[in-house]
Amino acid sequence: MDLTGKVAVVTGGSRGIGKAVCLRLGALGATVVINYVSRPDAAQETAAEVEKAGGKATLAQFNVADSAAVDAAFKEILETHGRIDVLVNNAGITRDGLFMKMKEADWDLVLDTNLKGAFNCIKAVNRPMMKQRSGAIISITSVIGFAGNAGQANYSAAKAGLIGLTRSLAKELASRNIRVNGVAPGYIDTDMTKDLPESVKEIILSEIPLRSMGAADDVAAAVAFLASEDARYITGQFIHVNGGMYMA
């Protein structure tokens, strides 16, 4: 795989899966635009690691849920780099709780970030990619978006929404040579899962045929493939990176 000369924007790229994606795309030759909201130190550290590995990286601070901020940021990215070849919708949050006790604010925050955030970013790259008649859009959904999970109705709804959005846009944009796909991680060893009680981890592992949590690099490898020309004839599809716990 070779992404030399390509410009890739990765939302939520400062840590976890996003960081791994930035490092992988940078190592393949892409110029990586690392989006973050807070913790500029983490974003700068990721950028430094990308460049140490031989890639190029710039930073873009904006909240994906803020459409005006997204538009302004992508306008600046296009003015700086001239094009955007890859968009990775990775930014996401959780506000878990049983539905009967879920606050409206927690529902709105998760949907605004995880689903509307992807909508905002795709809208921002839609016309530029159509004009250049090429592009790859990859959204990070989740096994939870396919299978559901108690206590995560908001997260599941947002990730399921990404699945439908991906399939619909794949049909709309194929004529302009824009591929739209997704990667659905299972339980990945990141900041989101590291604080789970050991008893919960044991239950999770018992449901995974490969008997281990995945690594962020496992997800990044799937994203890199979908971003590359090796996946030129793939659109509207999802790669499940979950150790076999859900088989579509």
Side-chain angles (χ1 to χ4, degrees):
M1 294 183 289
D2 184 10
L3 297 176
T4 301
K6 304 292 187 181
V7 177
V9 179
V10 181
T11 67
S14 65
R15 54 182 178 159
I17 290 173
K19 178 178 180 177
V21 170
C22 289
L23 293 176
R24 180 64 68 105
L25 298 184
L28 291 173
T31 295
V32 185
V33 180
I34 304 167
N35 159 253
Y36 69 100
V37 177
S38 57
R39 296 187 60 183
D41 53 334
Q44 290 167 359
E45 180 180 327
T46 299
E49 289 186 36
V50 170
E51 293 182 350
K52 185 177 180 180
K56 298 178 182 178
T58 60
L59 303 180
Q61 183 179 23
F62 60 89
N63 183 346
V64 296
D66 184 338
S67 59
V70 169
D71 288 344
F74 276 85
K75 181 180 179 181
E76 183 175 342
I77 292 168
L78 286 164
E79 288 175 350
T80 301
H81 299 287
R83 60 188 296 117
I84 296 174
D85 300 285
V86 179
L87 168 64
V88 182
N89 291 308
N90 169 72
I93 61 170
T94 57
R95 293 294 185 274
D96 296 345
L98 293 175
F99 186 76
M100 64 181 296
K101 296 182 179 180
M102 185 171 290
K103 298 177 182 178
E104 183 179 356
D106 288 338
W107 174 272
D108 289 344
L109 187 59
V110 170
L111 269 290
D112 283 349
T113 302
N114 297 13
L115 181 56
K116 187 181 178 183
F119 166 84
N120 288 336
C121 293
I122 294 170
K123 286 283 283 187
V125 301
N126 185 43
R127 288 187 183 278
M129 285 186 175
M130 290 179 72
K131 186 176 180 180
Q132 67 195 30
R133 299 190 71 84
S134 67
I137 298 170
I138 302 139
S139 292
I140 307 299
T141 178
S142 169
V143 64
I144 304 304
F146 285 88
N149 196 36
Q152 290 191 299
N154 49 1
Y155 185 78
S156 180
K159 293 300 187 178
L162 274 178
I163 295 165
L165 178 62
T166 295
R167 287 174 171 157
S168 295
L169 290 180
K171 293 184 175 182
E172 286 190 25
L173 300 177
S175 65
R176 297 301 183 96
N177 197 35
I178 300 170
R179 297 178 293 103
V180 189
N181 293 292
V183 175
Y187 285 93
I188 306 298
D189 189 10
T190 66
D191 290 345
M192 277 191 175
T193 58
K194 71 177 182 180
D195 293 329
L196 290 173
E198 287 302 316
S199 58
V200 174
K201 289 183 179 179
E202 288 177 8
I203 293 172
I204 291 171
L205 291 176
S206 71
E207 298 174 349
I208 302 174
L210 287 181
R211 292 293 186 269
S212 67
M213 286 193 178
D217 284 342
D218 297 325
V219 182
V223 172
F225 167 67
L226 290 173
S228 75
E229 285 300 306
D230 287 357
R232 67 174 189 82
Y233 199 54
I234 299 174
T235 195
Q237 305 302 315
F238 295 87
I239 297 180
H240 293 266
V241 185
N242 60 37
M245 70 175 295
Y246 176 86
M247 300 184 188

